[in-house]
Amino acid sequence: PIKNIETTLSPYTCWKLDPAGKTPLHALPKTGNHCFIFGSEPGFKDFPNIQTKTCHIPITPQADSLNVAVSSGILLYTTFNS
C-alpha cells in the first residue's frame, strides 16, 4: 500500500477512464497535473478524500470495450500529441 496516498495525489486531478464517463478524452484540460487511473480500481473507494473525475475514450457503438493496454496507448498518444 502507498502511505499517505491522499497527500501524494493532492496536487493532481485524478481521472478514471470509464465508458460511462461524461468527458471525452480529447476534451480534458491541456494544463495542470493529471493522474490517470486505468482498469477497475475498487481500492480507491478506500480513500474517500481522493476526488476522481471520469472521462471516456469515444469508441464506435459496435465495440464493447477497450482493454487496459489499448486504453493506455490511446491516452498517451492523445496526451503527448495534442
Side-chain angles (χ1 to χ4, degrees), residues 15-42:
W15 293 93
K16 180 177 180 179
L17 270 75
D18 182 339
K22 293 185 179 183
T23 306
L25 182 61
H26 64 269
L28 295 183
K30 305 296 183 215
T31 59
N33 297 318
H34 301 283
C35 167
F36 293 96
I37 302 166
F38 292 94
S40 177
E41 301 296 340

mmCIF file of all heavy atoms in Angstrom, residues 15-42:
data_model
loop_
_atom_site.group_PDB
_atom_site.id
_atom_site.type_symbol
_atom_site.label_atom_id
_atom_site.label_comp_id
_atom_site.label_asym_id
_atom_site.label_seq_id
_atom_site.Cartn_x
_atom_site.Cartn_y
_atom_site.Cartn_z
ATOM 1 N N TRP A 15 -8.116 11.323 -12.888
ATOM 2 C CA TRP A 15 -9.112 10.942 -13.884
ATOM 3 C C TRP A 15 -9.185 9.426 -13.947
ATOM 4 O O TRP A 15 -8.176 8.751 -14.058
ATOM 5 C CB TRP A 15 -8.729 11.461 -15.263
ATOM 6 C CG TRP A 15 -8.768 12.942 -15.373
ATOM 7 C CD1 TRP A 15 -7.728 13.811 -15.181
ATOM 8 C CD2 TRP A 15 -9.895 13.741 -15.711
ATOM 9 N NE1 TRP A 15 -8.158 15.096 -15.363
ATOM 10 C CE2 TRP A 15 -9.482 15.081 -15.703
ATOM 11 C CE3 TRP A 15 -11.223 13.451 -16.016
ATOM 12 C CZ2 TRP A 15 -10.342 16.131 -15.992
ATOM 13 C CZ3 TRP A 15 -12.078 14.494 -16.312
ATOM 14 C CH2 TRP A 15 -11.631 15.817 -16.295
ATOM 15 N N LYS A 16 -10.379 8.901 -13.888
ATOM 16 C CA LYS A 16 -10.611 7.478 -14.062
ATOM 17 C C LYS A 16 -11.255 7.272 -15.424
ATOM 18 O O LYS A 16 -12.257 7.920 -15.741
ATOM 19 C CB LYS A 16 -11.525 6.938 -12.967
ATOM 20 C CG LYS A 16 -11.789 5.466 -13.097
ATOM 21 C CD LYS A 16 -12.630 4.957 -11.960
ATOM 22 C CE LYS A 16 -12.875 3.473 -12.125
ATOM 23 N NZ LYS A 16 -13.676 2.926 -11.041
ATOM 24 N N LEU A 17 -10.658 6.421 -16.233
ATOM 25 C CA LEU A 17 -11.263 6.106 -17.527
ATOM 26 C C LEU A 17 -12.432 5.170 -17.290
ATOM 27 O O LEU A 17 -12.288 4.122 -16.681
ATOM 28 C CB LEU A 17 -10.238 5.472 -18.465
ATOM 29 C CG LEU A 17 -9.472 6.492 -19.306
ATOM 30 C CD1 LEU A 17 -8.438 7.198 -18.462
ATOM 31 C CD2 LEU A 17 -8.860 5.855 -20.496
ATOM 32 N N ASP A 18 -13.591 5.591 -17.763
ATOM 33 C CA ASP A 18 -14.818 4.863 -17.526
ATOM 34 C C ASP A 18 -15.701 5.028 -18.758
ATOM 35 O O ASP A 18 -15.953 6.156 -19.181
ATOM 36 C CB ASP A 18 -15.502 5.463 -16.296
ATOM 37 C CG ASP A 18 -16.783 4.763 -15.895
ATOM 38 O OD1 ASP A 18 -17.389 4.076 -16.736
ATOM 39 O OD2 ASP A 18 -17.197 4.925 -14.739
ATOM 40 N N PRO A 19 -16.172 3.933 -19.347
ATOM 41 C CA PRO A 19 -17.020 4.058 -20.542
ATOM 42 C C PRO A 19 -18.244 4.943 -20.314
ATOM 43 O O PRO A 19 -18.772 5.527 -21.247
ATOM 44 C CB PRO A 19 -17.435 2.618 -20.853
ATOM 45 C CG PRO A 19 -16.447 1.756 -20.162
ATOM 46 C CD PRO A 19 -15.951 2.541 -18.977
ATOM 47 N N ALA A 20 -18.685 5.069 -19.077
ATOM 48 C CA ALA A 20 -19.845 5.900 -18.767
ATOM 49 C C ALA A 20 -19.447 7.338 -18.403
ATOM 50 O O ALA A 20 -20.310 8.151 -18.096
ATOM 51 C CB ALA A 20 -20.629 5.279 -17.613
ATOM 52 N N GLY A 21 -18.154 7.646 -18.450
ATOM 53 C CA GLY A 21 -17.692 8.987 -18.116
ATOM 54 C C GLY A 21 -18.269 10.018 -19.069
ATOM 55 O O GLY A 21 -18.454 9.754 -20.255
ATOM 56 N N LYS A 22 -18.554 11.210 -18.552
ATOM 57 C CA LYS A 22 -19.191 12.234 -19.378
ATOM 58 C C LYS A 22 -18.201 13.013 -20.233
ATOM 59 O O LYS A 22 -18.551 13.526 -21.279
ATOM 60 C CB LYS A 22 -19.978 13.196 -18.495
ATOM 61 C CG LYS A 22 -21.169 12.541 -17.847
ATOM 62 C CD LYS A 22 -21.998 13.524 -17.074
ATOM 63 C CE LYS A 22 -23.189 12.799 -16.471
ATOM 64 N NZ LYS A 22 -24.066 13.695 -15.759
ATOM 65 N N THR A 23 -16.958 13.127 -19.803
ATOM 66 C CA THR A 23 -15.979 13.941 -20.511
ATOM 67 C C THR A 23 -15.180 13.080 -21.484
ATOM 68 O O THR A 23 -14.538 12.114 -21.064
ATOM 69 C CB THR A 23 -15.006 14.609 -19.508
ATOM 70 O OG1 THR A 23 -15.758 15.335 -18.540
ATOM 71 C CG2 THR A 23 -14.038 15.530 -20.218
ATOM 72 N N PRO A 24 -15.191 13.399 -22.779
ATOM 73 C CA PRO A 24 -14.358 12.633 -23.713
ATOM 74 C C PRO A 24 -12.875 12.968 -23.495
ATOM 75 O O PRO A 24 -12.528 14.086 -23.096
ATOM 76 C CB PRO A 24 -14.832 13.092 -25.088
ATOM 77 C CG PRO A 24 -15.543 14.371 -24.868
ATOM 78 C CD PRO A 24 -16.000 14.413 -23.450
ATOM 79 N N LEU A 25 -12.041 12.011 -23.733
ATOM 80 C CA LEU A 25 -10.607 12.147 -23.501
ATOM 81 C C LEU A 25 -10.027 13.386 -24.177
ATOM 82 O O LEU A 25 -9.259 14.127 -23.575
ATOM 83 C CB LEU A 25 -9.882 10.887 -23.987
ATOM 84 C CG LEU A 25 -8.381 10.836 -23.773
ATOM 85 C CD1 LEU A 25 -8.030 10.904 -22.292
ATOM 86 C CD2 LEU A 25 -7.820 9.565 -24.387
ATOM 87 N N HIS A 26 -10.419 13.664 -25.401
ATOM 88 C CA HIS A 26 -9.845 14.802 -26.127
ATOM 89 C C HIS A 26 -10.263 16.158 -25.544
ATOM 90 O O HIS A 26 -9.693 17.176 -25.890
ATOM 91 C CB HIS A 26 -10.204 14.729 -27.618
ATOM 92 C CG HIS A 26 -11.671 14.845 -27.890
ATOM 93 N ND1 HIS A 26 -12.492 13.735 -27.952
ATOM 94 C CD2 HIS A 26 -12.460 15.918 -28.092
ATOM 95 C CE1 HIS A 26 -13.721 14.130 -28.186
ATOM 96 N NE2 HIS A 26 -13.737 15.456 -28.277
ATOM 97 N N ALA A 27 -11.248 16.174 -24.646
ATOM 98 C CA ALA A 27 -11.725 17.431 -24.064
ATOM 99 C C ALA A 27 -11.096 17.741 -22.700
ATOM 100 O O ALA A 27 -11.424 18.745 -22.091
ATOM 101 C CB ALA A 27 -13.243 17.395 -23.931
ATOM 102 N N LEU A 28 -10.183 16.894 -22.240
ATOM 103 C CA LEU A 28 -9.551 17.154 -20.951
ATOM 104 C C LEU A 28 -8.673 18.397 -21.027
ATOM 105 O O LEU A 28 -8.136 18.719 -22.086
ATOM 106 C CB LEU A 28 -8.685 15.958 -20.528
ATOM 107 C CG LEU A 28 -9.410 14.656 -20.258
ATOM 108 C CD1 LEU A 28 -8.424 13.599 -19.778
ATOM 109 C CD2 LEU A 28 -10.516 14.830 -19.254
ATOM 110 N N PRO A 29 -8.516 19.084 -19.899
ATOM 111 C CA PRO A 29 -7.649 20.262 -19.893
ATOM 112 C C PRO A 29 -6.220 19.901 -20.305
ATOM 113 O O PRO A 29 -5.720 18.834 -19.965
ATOM 114 C CB PRO A 29 -7.681 20.714 -18.430
ATOM 115 C CG PRO A 29 -8.869 20.068 -17.827
ATOM 116 C CD PRO A 29 -9.108 18.819 -18.603
ATOM 117 N N LYS A 30 -5.594 20.784 -21.044
ATOM 118 C CA LYS A 30 -4.226 20.536 -21.521
ATOM 119 C C LYS A 30 -3.176 21.007 -20.524
ATOM 120 O O LYS A 30 -1.997 20.776 -20.711
ATOM 121 C CB LYS A 30 -3.991 21.235 -22.865
ATOM 122 C CG LYS A 30 -4.989 20.868 -23.938
ATOM 123 C CD LYS A 30 -4.913 19.412 -24.301
ATOM 124 C CE LYS A 30 -5.885 19.107 -25.425
ATOM 125 N NZ LYS A 30 -6.492 17.823 -25.342
ATOM 126 N N THR A 31 -3.594 21.705 -19.488
ATOM 127 C CA THR A 31 -2.652 22.192 -18.485
ATOM 128 C C THR A 31 -2.981 21.592 -17.129
ATOM 129 O O THR A 31 -4.064 21.051 -16.920
ATOM 130 C CB THR A 31 -2.712 23.732 -18.378
ATOM 131 O OG1 THR A 31 -4.038 24.107 -18.019
ATOM 132 C CG2 THR A 31 -2.333 24.395 -19.688
ATOM 133 N N GLY A 32 -2.046 21.671 -16.218
ATOM 134 C CA GLY A 32 -2.252 21.157 -14.869
ATOM 135 C C GLY A 32 -1.633 19.782 -14.701
ATOM 136 O O GLY A 32 -1.114 19.185 -15.643
ATOM 137 N N ASN A 33 -1.679 19.303 -13.491
ATOM 138 C CA ASN A 33 -1.144 17.983 -13.156
ATOM 139 C C ASN A 33 -2.282 16.974 -13.172
ATOM 140 O O ASN A 33 -3.293 17.163 -12.493
ATOM 141 C CB ASN A 33 -0.504 18.010 -11.763
ATOM 142 C CG ASN A 33 0.674 18.940 -11.688
ATOM 143 O OD1 ASN A 33 1.488 18.980 -12.605
ATOM 144 N ND2 ASN A 33 0.770 19.703 -10.618
ATOM 145 N N HIS A 34 -2.088 15.919 -13.934
ATOM 146 C CA HIS A 34 -3.121 14.904 -14.059
ATOM 147 C C HIS A 34 -2.593 13.536 -13.657
ATOM 148 O O HIS A 34 -1.423 13.228 -13.875
ATOM 149 C CB HIS A 34 -3.639 14.818 -15.502
ATOM 150 C CG HIS A 34 -4.209 16.106 -15.998
ATOM 151 N ND1 HIS A 34 -5.456 16.545 -15.629
ATOM 152 C CD2 HIS A 34 -3.709 17.055 -16.816
ATOM 153 C CE1 HIS A 34 -5.691 17.704 -16.194
ATOM 154 N NE2 HIS A 34 -4.641 18.043 -16.922
ATOM 155 N N CYS A 35 -3.460 12.753 -13.087
ATOM 156 C CA CYS A 35 -3.190 11.361 -12.742
ATOM 157 C C CYS A 35 -4.302 10.552 -13.397
ATOM 158 O O CYS A 35 -5.476 10.915 -13.313
ATOM 159 C CB CYS A 35 -3.232 11.206 -11.226
ATOM 160 S SG CYS A 35 -3.277 9.502 -10.644
ATOM 161 N N PHE A 36 -3.939 9.480 -14.086
ATOM 162 C CA PHE A 36 -4.943 8.656 -14.759
ATOM 163 C C PHE A 36 -5.011 7.281 -14.112
ATOM 164 O O PHE A 36 -3.983 6.661 -13.841
ATOM 165 C CB PHE A 36 -4.618 8.526 -16.249
ATOM 166 C CG PHE A 36 -4.746 9.828 -16.978
ATOM 167 C CD1 PHE A 36 -3.645 10.629 -17.194
ATOM 168 C CD2 PHE A 36 -5.981 10.267 -17.420
ATOM 169 C CE1 PHE A 36 -3.764 11.846 -17.848
ATOM 170 C CE2 PHE A 36 -6.114 11.480 -18.067
ATOM 171 C CZ PHE A 36 -5.001 12.269 -18.288
ATOM 172 N N ILE A 37 -6.222 6.827 -13.885
ATOM 173 C CA ILE A 37 -6.463 5.530 -13.260
ATOM 174 C C ILE A 37 -7.055 4.622 -14.321
ATOM 175 O O ILE A 37 -8.067 4.947 -14.934
ATOM 176 C CB ILE A 37 -7.427 5.675 -12.071
ATOM 177 C CG1 ILE A 37 -6.849 6.656 -11.051
ATOM 178 C CG2 ILE A 37 -7.715 4.325 -11.435
ATOM 179 C CD1 ILE A 37 -7.840 7.119 -10.013
ATOM 180 N N PHE A 38 -6.402 3.497 -14.536
ATOM 181 C CA PHE A 38 -6.841 2.546 -15.558
ATOM 182 C C PHE A 38 -7.439 1.312 -14.907
ATOM 183 O O PHE A 38 -6.993 0.874 -13.851
ATOM 184 C CB PHE A 38 -5.654 2.099 -16.427
ATOM 185 C CG PHE A 38 -5.116 3.185 -17.289
ATOM 186 C CD1 PHE A 38 -4.055 3.964 -16.863
ATOM 187 C CD2 PHE A 38 -5.656 3.430 -18.530
ATOM 188 C CE1 PHE A 38 -3.550 4.967 -17.656
ATOM 189 C CE2 PHE A 38 -5.162 4.435 -19.340
ATOM 190 C CZ PHE A 38 -4.096 5.206 -18.892
ATOM 191 N N GLY A 39 -8.395 0.748 -15.591
ATOM 192 C CA GLY A 39 -8.989 -0.501 -15.143
ATOM 193 C C GLY A 39 -9.970 -0.280 -14.001
ATOM 194 O O GLY A 39 -10.309 0.833 -13.643
ATOM 195 N N SER A 40 -10.418 -1.351 -13.449
ATOM 196 C CA SER A 40 -11.348 -1.298 -12.329
ATOM 197 C C SER A 40 -10.532 -1.132 -11.056
ATOM 198 O O SER A 40 -9.755 -2.004 -10.691
ATOM 199 C CB SER A 40 -12.155 -2.594 -12.285
ATOM 200 O OG SER A 40 -13.000 -2.580 -11.181
ATOM 201 N N GLU A 41 -10.703 -0.019 -10.394
ATOM 202 C CA GLU A 41 -9.905 0.287 -9.219
ATOM 203 C C GLU A 41 -10.779 0.399 -7.966
ATOM 204 O O GLU A 41 -10.996 1.471 -7.438
ATOM 205 C CB GLU A 41 -9.125 1.595 -9.430
ATOM 206 C CG GLU A 41 -8.189 1.578 -10.605
ATOM 207 C CD GLU A 41 -7.055 0.576 -10.469
ATOM 208 O OE1 GLU A 41 -6.745 0.150 -9.338
ATOM 209 O OE2 GLU A 41 -6.499 0.204 -11.497
ATOM 210 N N PRO A 42 -11.265 -0.728 -7.464
ATOM 211 C CA PRO A 42 -12.110 -0.650 -6.272
ATOM 212 C C PRO A 42 -11.350 -0.156 -5.047
ATOM 213 O O PRO A 42 -11.937 0.347 -4.110
ATOM 214 C CB PRO A 42 -12.608 -2.081 -6.080
ATOM 215 C CG PRO A 42 -11.630 -2.937 -6.801
ATOM 216 C CD PRO A 42 -11.103 -2.099 -7.940
#
